[in-house]
């Protein structure tokens, strides 16, 4: 397994998403352990984009429970429908929040987070399995480019769950 990551040093995230997706694909193809794979996906996203916080919350015991992540300490359990993660879980759709202070019910795990994107992950039966959550310390940091790029990465994860 390749343990180094190669990507262009460019501010054009579309290019970087296109470069890292096949590397994530081969990274997870060689490993069957889910948490090991999710952990490496967060490491790749953190390294490629320098995001403030990148992590997964997975559906367990009727809540979203913190799984692999990179970044500061985070809240461990989120109720369905609560916060941006719970909203993405309930609506089954990607949520982009340009200003977390303007999102009703946003859960502030860190006061440094300014904007956020959450992408739902579906299992083979079409149920939401969990979410991929990315936080930025800059306002308005996420666009449709991130939604498309992260959804492509989530598709890879959906292939291994
Ligand atoms: N802000 C999220 C909670 C998780 S942290 O950002 C790591 C939310 O409102 O769901």
């Amino acid at each position: 397994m390749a343990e180094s990551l190669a990507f262009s040093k460019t501010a054009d995230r579309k290019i970087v998403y296109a470069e890292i997706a096949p590397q994530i694909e081969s990274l997870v193809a060689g490993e069957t352990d889910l948490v090991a794979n999710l952990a490496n996906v967060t490491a790749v996203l953190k390294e490629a984009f320098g995001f403030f916080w990148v992590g997964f919350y997975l559906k367990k015991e009727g809540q979203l429970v913190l799984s692999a992540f990179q970044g500061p300490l985070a809240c461990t359990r989120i109720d369905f429908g609560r916060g941006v993660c719970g909203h993405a879980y309930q609506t089954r759709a990607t949520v982009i929040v340009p200003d977390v202070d303007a999102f009703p019910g946003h859960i502030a795990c860190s006061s440094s987070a300014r904007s956020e994107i959450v992408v739902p992950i579906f299992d083979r039966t079409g149920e939401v399995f969990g979410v991929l959550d990315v936080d930025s310390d800059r306002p308005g940091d996420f666009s449709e480019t991130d939604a498309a790029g992260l959804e492509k990465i989530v598709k890879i994860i959906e292939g291994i769950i």
Side-chain angles (χ1 to χ4, degrees):
M1 182 195 84
E3 272 153 12
S4 64
L5 181 68
F7 57 90
S8 303
K9 301 278 179 284
T10 168
D12 187 341
R13 289 189 184 164
K14 197 171 174 181
I15 292 173
V16 179
Y17 280 116
E19 289 174 345
I20 64 172
Q23 294 178 78
I24 288 176
E25 207 147 6
S26 50
L27 202 58
V28 303
E31 175 55 60
T32 54
D33 187 86
L34 179 63
V35 175
N37 282 331
L38 296 182
N40 265 342
V41 171
T42 64
V44 170
L45 289 171
K46 180 90 171 151
E47 190 178 335
F49 299 106
F51 292 135
F52 177 71
W53 194 92
V54 185
F56 292 93
Y57 284 88
L58 303 183
K59 182 173 71 177
K60 280 181 190 172
E61 301 145 12
Q63 287 179 307
L64 291 169
V65 181
L66 184 63
S67 183
F69 73 97
Q70 295 251 326
L73 190 71
C75 35
T76 54
R77 287 173 187 266
I78 298 175
D79 289 333
F80 301 148
R82 281 203 58 231
V84 186
C85 291
H87 184 69
Y89 176 87
Q90 251 180 3
T91 58
R92 301 167 57 86
T94 297
V95 184
I96 295 175
V97 178
D99 173 3
V100 294
D101 292 332
F103 187 92
H106 168 258
I107 301 163
C109 291
S110 163
S111 56
S112 299
R114 299 262 54 90
S115 56
E116 181 163 359
I117 182 168
V118 181
V119 180
I121 304 163
F122 297 95
D123 69 16
R124 279 157 207 272
T125 70
E127 294 286 306
V128 180
F129 180 81
V131 299
L132 168 60
D133 180 12
V134 184
D135 288 2
S136 173
D137 54 6
R138 292 184 289 159
D141 201 16
F142 300 108
S143 69
E144 286 306 321
T145 297
D146 298 288
L150 295 173
E151 283 167 6
K152 197 166 172 197
I153 291 165
V154 161
K155 281 267 169 299
I156 298 168
I157 294 163
E158 288 170 349
I160 57 156
I161 56 176

